Amino acid sequence: MSMAATDSGPAARGSRSRRLERLAPGLAATLGLALSLVGCAPRAMDRTELALGTVCSIRVLDGASEAALDAAFARLRDIEATMSANAPGTVVDAVNRAAGSGAVAAPSDLRALARRALELAEASGGAFDPTVGPLVALWGIGFDTERVPAPGEIAAALPLVDRRGLVVDESAGTMALARAGMRLDLGGIAKGYAADEVARILTEHGVKAAVVDLGGNVKVVGRKPDRKPWRVGIQNPFSDRGERLGLATLPGGYTVVTSGVYERHFRGDDGAEYHHLIDPATGYPADGGLVSVTVIAESSMDADGLSTALFVMGPERGFALAEAYGVGAVYVRDDKGVLMNERARAVFELESGAFRLEAPVP
Ligand code: AMP
Ligand code: MG
């Protein structure tokens, strides 16, 4: 309703108050003050669309405009049209089709994301690998091709997963995969990059407070109208979306990103459950007794890549990597044990009584 009042516009307000001024000067002054207060009320707007293979919603609490939301969603569609590995005609698709036979012109944003993905691949000892594509395609998890591959198929795909075979040439403005059959897949990091981009674009368009939620990859922007810190829920990995494990209390600019087995999984013909977080060392879904890993950071791109990496690495190696990147990390095990590093404990409060906080990790 405050939006409708603001939408009536200064021109309409001006002429109305001028007429009132002549009739009842005192009332006009009071009304004028009230109207100008309404004019200062935070301008809120919501929009939800499908993009990047997930539900993307942007909730602006202050400084909203159609132009800001239009620009944000246009950027999401642009990122999808460039970076999706699963749609024909994207640049990543062209790089994959040209694998083993040459380089493909790639825009600077894609090159930058690929280089950041390669840095994380190096830092994680290959637990995160943007060339995991052949394995992701083989398992087909989340698509109608999903199935448990034969061990021979996995053995054949493993050598094609090789971060050293992804070449990003900044001077030529190209990207290439060294061998036929290699396949780039930025699905583990692109949503985070997209959340950072949306935050940047909203701010450029005068948005003062917003929550960007790209399929559970959440970033808070600016300062809440009530001046209180933001509170971002972490999904309870054992229940349907909506129920919380707990709440993170954060300043604007922070992001909370979770990689969980509940996001994409299927039951194989053998009766076992398989999820979408693949260990490039084995070719099988990472099997560390974990159900989710949440990363709390400022860069959503890093948090997204790290949540995938930390899941594959497990808590021992994973907490060391979280420290190296200076981010908070929350591990949830399948026995409902919860492990957090110091940075996570400072901002995250476990709410659900069904979980057990384990000894602090150094
Ligand atoms: P996320 O939900 O962000 O953890 O990303 C999961 C997606 O990342 C999967 O659907 C794959 O497209 C991709 N992925 C799976 N395993 C890996 C891995 N080990 N390294 C990099 N990307 C991966
Ligand atoms: Mg990720």
Coordinates of all heavy atoms in Angstrom, one line a residue, residues 245 289-290 315 319 329-342 345 348 350 352 354-362:
L245 N 17.6 -25.7 9.8 CA 18.6 -26.2 10.7 C 19.0 -25.1 11.8 O 19.2 -25.4 12.9 CB 19.9 -26.5 9.9 CG 21.1 -27.0 10.6 CD1 20.8 -28.4 11.2 CD2 22.3 -27.0 9.7
G289 N 29.7 -39.8 4.4 CA 28.8 -39.8 5.5 C 28.2 -38.4 5.8 O 27.8 -38.1 6.9
L290 N 28.2 -37.5 4.8 CA 27.7 -36.1 4.9 C 26.4 -36.0 4.3 O 26.1 -36.6 3.3 CB 28.7 -35.2 4.3 CG 30.1 -35.1 4.9 CD1 31.0 -34.3 4.0 CD2 30.1 -34.6 6.3
P315 N 35.3 -33.1 6.4 CA 35.6 -32.0 7.3 C 37.1 -31.8 7.6 O 37.6 -30.7 7.7 CB 34.9 -32.4 8.6 CG 34.4 -33.8 8.4 CD 34.4 -34.1 6.9
F319 N 37.9 -28.1 6.5 CA 38.1 -27.0 7.4 C 39.4 -26.2 7.1 O 39.4 -25.0 7.3 CB 38.0 -27.4 8.8 CG 36.6 -27.6 9.3 CD1 36.1 -28.8 9.8 CD2 35.7 -26.5 9.2 CE1 34.8 -29.0 10.3 CE2 34.3 -26.7 9.7 CZ 33.9 -27.9 10.2
A329 N 32.2 -22.4 7.8 CA 31.7 -23.7 7.2 C 30.9 -24.5 8.3 O 31.3 -24.5 9.4 CB 32.9 -24.5 6.7
V330 N 29.8 -25.1 7.8 CA 29.0 -25.9 8.7 C 28.8 -27.2 8.0 O 28.2 -27.3 6.9 CB 27.6 -25.2 8.9 CG1 26.7 -26.1 9.9 CG2 27.7 -23.8 9.5
Y331 N 29.3 -28.3 8.6 CA 29.1 -29.6 8.1 C 28.0 -30.3 8.8 O 27.9 -30.3 10.0 CB 30.4 -30.5 8.3 CG 31.4 -30.3 7.3 CD1 32.4 -29.4 7.4 CD2 31.5 -31.2 6.2 CE1 33.4 -29.2 6.4 CE2 32.5 -31.1 5.2 CZ 33.5 -30.1 5.4 OH 34.5 -30.0 4.4
V332 N 27.1 -31.0 8.1 CA 26.0 -31.8 8.7 C 26.2 -33.3 8.3 O 26.3 -33.5 7.1 CB 24.6 -31.3 8.4 CG1 23.6 -32.2 9.1 CG2 24.4 -29.9 8.7
R333 N 26.4 -34.2 9.2 CA 26.6 -35.6 8.9 C 25.3 -36.3 8.9 O 24.3 -35.9 9.5 CB 27.6 -36.2 10.0 CG 29.0 -35.8 9.8 CD 29.9 -36.8 10.4 NE 29.4 -37.2 11.7 CZ 30.0 -36.9 12.9 NH1 31.2 -36.2 12.9 NH2 29.5 -37.3 14.0
D334 N 25.3 -37.5 8.3 CA 24.1 -38.3 8.2 C 23.6 -38.8 9.5 O 22.5 -39.2 9.7 CB 24.2 -39.4 7.1 CG 25.3 -40.3 7.4 OD1 26.0 -40.3 8.5 OD2 25.6 -41.2 6.5
D335 N 24.5 -38.8 10.6 CA 24.0 -39.2 11.9 C 23.6 -37.9 12.7 O 23.4 -38.0 13.9 CB 25.1 -39.9 12.7 CG 26.4 -39.0 12.9 OD1 26.3 -37.8 12.5 OD2 27.3 -39.5 13.5
K336 N 23.3 -36.8 12.0 CA 22.8 -35.5 12.6 C 23.9 -34.8 13.5 O 23.5 -33.9 14.3 CB 21.5 -35.7 13.3 CG 20.4 -36.3 12.4 CD 19.1 -36.0 12.9 CE 18.0 -36.0 11.8 NZ 17.2 -37.2 11.9
G337 N 25.1 -35.2 13.4 CA 26.2 -34.4 14.0 C 26.4 -33.2 13.2 O 26.4 -33.2 11.9
V338 N 26.7 -32.1 13.9 CA 27.0 -30.8 13.2 C 28.4 -30.3 13.6 O 28.7 -30.3 14.8 CB 25.9 -29.7 13.5 CG1 26.3 -28.4 12.9 CG2 24.5 -30.2 13.1
L339 N 29.2 -30.0 12.6 CA 30.5 -29.5 12.9 C 30.7 -28.1 12.3 O 30.3 -27.9 11.1 CB 31.6 -30.4 12.2 CG 31.6 -31.8 12.6 CD1 32.1 -32.7 11.5 CD2 32.5 -32.0 13.8
M340 N 31.2 -27.2 13.1 CA 31.4 -25.8 12.6 C 32.8 -25.3 12.9 O 33.3 -25.6 14.0 CB 30.4 -24.8 13.3 CG 29.0 -25.1 13.1 SD 28.1 -23.6 13.8 CE 26.9 -24.5 14.7
N341 N 33.3 -24.4 12.0 CA 34.5 -23.7 12.4 C 34.2 -22.5 13.2 O 33.0 -22.1 13.4 CB 35.4 -23.5 11.2 CG 34.8 -22.5 10.2 OD1 33.7 -22.0 10.4 ND2 35.5 -22.2 9.2
E342 N 35.2 -21.8 13.7 CA 35.1 -20.7 14.6 C 34.2 -19.6 13.9 O 33.3 -19.0 14.5 CB 36.5 -20.1 14.9 CG 36.5 -19.1 16.0 CD 35.9 -19.7 17.3 OE1 36.4 -20.7 17.8 OE2 35.0 -19.0 17.8
R345 N 30.6 -20.5 13.9 CA 30.0 -20.4 15.2 C 29.7 -19.0 15.7 O 28.8 -18.7 16.5 CB 30.9 -21.1 16.3 CG 30.4 -22.6 16.4 CD 31.2 -23.3 17.4 NE 32.6 -23.4 17.0 CZ 33.7 -23.3 17.8 NH1 33.5 -23.1 19.1 NH2 34.9 -23.5 17.3
F348 N 26.3 -18.3 13.4 CA 25.3 -19.3 13.1 C 24.8 -19.9 14.4 O 25.5 -20.4 15.2 CB 25.8 -20.4 12.2 CG 24.7 -21.4 11.9 CD1 23.6 -21.1 11.2 CD2 24.9 -22.7 12.4 CE1 22.6 -22.1 10.9 CE2 23.9 -23.7 12.2 CZ 22.8 -23.4 11.4
L350 N 22.4 -22.9 15.8 CA 21.7 -24.1 15.6 C 20.3 -24.1 16.3 O 20.3 -23.8 17.5 CB 22.5 -25.3 16.1 CG 22.1 -26.7 15.7 CD1 22.1 -27.0 14.2 CD2 23.0 -27.7 16.4
S352 N 17.4 -26.4 15.4 CA 16.7 -27.7 15.5 C 17.3 -28.6 16.6 O 18.5 -28.8 16.6 CB 16.7 -28.4 14.1 OG 16.2 -29.7 14.3
A354 N 17.0 -31.6 16.8 CA 17.2 -33.0 16.3 C 18.7 -33.2 16.0 O 19.1 -34.3 15.7 CB 16.4 -33.2 15.0
F355 N 19.5 -32.1 16.1 CA 20.9 -32.1 15.7 C 21.8 -32.0 16.9 O 21.4 -31.5 18.0 CB 21.3 -31.1 14.7 CG 20.6 -31.3 13.4 CD1 19.3 -30.8 13.2 CD2 21.2 -32.0 12.3 CE1 18.6 -31.0 12.0 CE2 20.5 -32.2 11.1 CZ 19.2 -31.7 11.0
R356 N 23.0 -32.5 16.8 CA 24.0 -32.5 17.9 C 25.2 -31.7 17.5 O 25.8 -32.1 16.5 CB 24.3 -33.9 18.2 CG 24.9 -34.3 19.5 CD 25.1 -35.8 19.6 NE 26.0 -36.3 18.5 CZ 25.6 -36.9 17.4 NH1 24.3 -37.2 17.2 NH2 26.5 -37.3 16.5
L357 N 25.5 -30.6 18.2 CA 26.7 -29.9 17.9 C 27.9 -30.6 18.4 O 28.0 -30.9 19.6 CB 26.6 -28.5 18.5 CG 27.7 -27.5 18.1 CD1 27.6 -27.3 16.6 CD2 27.4 -26.2 18.8
E358 N 28.8 -30.9 17.5 CA 30.0 -31.7 17.9 C 31.1 -30.8 18.5 O 31.0 -29.6 18.3 CB 30.6 -32.5 16.7 CG 29.5 -33.3 16.0 CD 29.6 -34.8 16.3 OE1 30.7 -35.3 16.3 OE2 28.5 -35.4 16.6
A359 N 32.1 -31.4 19.0 CA 33.2 -30.6 19.6 C 33.7 -29.6 18.6 O 33.8 -29.9 17.4 CB 34.4 -31.5 19.9
P360 N 34.1 -28.4 19.1 CA 34.5 -27.3 18.2 C 35.8 -27.8 17.4 O 36.6 -28.5 17.9 CB 34.9 -26.2 19.1 CG 34.7 -26.6 20.5 CD 34.0 -28.0 20.5
V361 N 35.9 -27.3 16.2 CA 37.0 -27.7 15.4 C 38.0 -26.5 15.5 O 37.7 -25.4 15.5 CB 36.5 -27.8 13.9 CG1 37.7 -27.9 13.0 CG2 35.6 -29.0 13.8
P362 N 39.3 -26.9 15.6 CA 40.3 -25.8 15.8 C 40.4 -24.9 14.6 O 40.1 -25.3 13.5 CB 41.6 -26.6 15.9 CG 41.3 -28.0 15.5 CD 39.9 -28.2 15.7

